Amino acid sequence: METVSTATTVWTRNSAHAEKRDLWTAMKRGFRCRCPRCGEGKLFRAFLKVDNSCSVCGLDYTPHRADDLPAYLVIVIVGHIVVPVVLWVETNYSPAVWLQLAIYLPLTLFASLFLLQPVKGAVVGVQWALRMHGFDENAPDGNPPV
Ligand SMILES: [Zn+2]
């Protein structure tokens, strides 16, 4: 006679009480490009490539995919800094267009490049803190929280 296991693991909100995750701490650690859980290990292996796991605590980063959100957030942040400055300078001083372009274009470019990695780290921190991650459809027994 064959024995068939019918036991299944059901993951609910109450299943994940093991680890308390503070959103702001995880965001700050991610913004500093560090592991959202321990704050020590590096989050990135290249400029915008999230590493596979934390070298200190072993946290698996692979389920955390920021996709395009960091780029949208950087556009919003830099736009809210540069556009008011442009309008204020134009209203009060009206410098030559070539001078404005020579200042604003590099300012926008470098501010965006400067913010992109920290914002992506913060997004990964938020994902980790809120347990927002991709689920493994091939997992045999459900999708345990990472
Ligand atoms: Zn870590």
Side-chain angles (χ1 to χ4, degrees), residues 41-43 45 50-62:
K42 285 183 171 181
L43 187 57
R45 69 169 180 253
V50 177
D51 209 343
N52 290 330
S53 63
C54 176
S55 60
V56 176
C57 71
L59 175 66
D60 183 15
Y61 298 143
T62 53

Side-chain angles (χ1 to χ4, degrees), residues 28-58:
K28 282 188 278 185
R29 288 174 176 168
F31 195 81
R32 290 185 359 246
C33 303
R34 296 293 168 190
C35 170
R37 182 162 70 186
C38 69
E40 298 293 324
K42 285 183 171 181
L43 187 57
F44 295 97
R45 69 169 180 253
F47 179 58
L48 291 177
K49 276 283 187 203
V50 177
D51 209 343
N52 290 330
S53 63
C54 176
S55 60
V56 176
C57 71

Side-chain angles (χ1 to χ4, degrees), residues 21 23 26-27 29-31 33-37 43-44 48-51 59-67 69-70 73 117-133:
R21 299 176 179 179
L23 176 65
M27 262 182 75
R29 288 174 176 168
F31 195 81
C33 303
R34 296 293 168 190
C35 170
R37 182 162 70 186
L43 187 57
F44 295 97
L48 291 177
K49 276 283 187 203
V50 177
D51 209 343
L59 175 66
D60 183 15
Y61 298 143
T62 53
H64 301 291
R65 297 183 52 208
D67 291 334
L69 181 60
L73 294 176
Q117 190 181 41
V119 168
K120 184 168 185 172
V123 167
V124 170
V126 168
Q127 288 177 333
W128 176 79
L130 299 179
R131 301 173 199 276
M132 301 164 60
H133 50 78

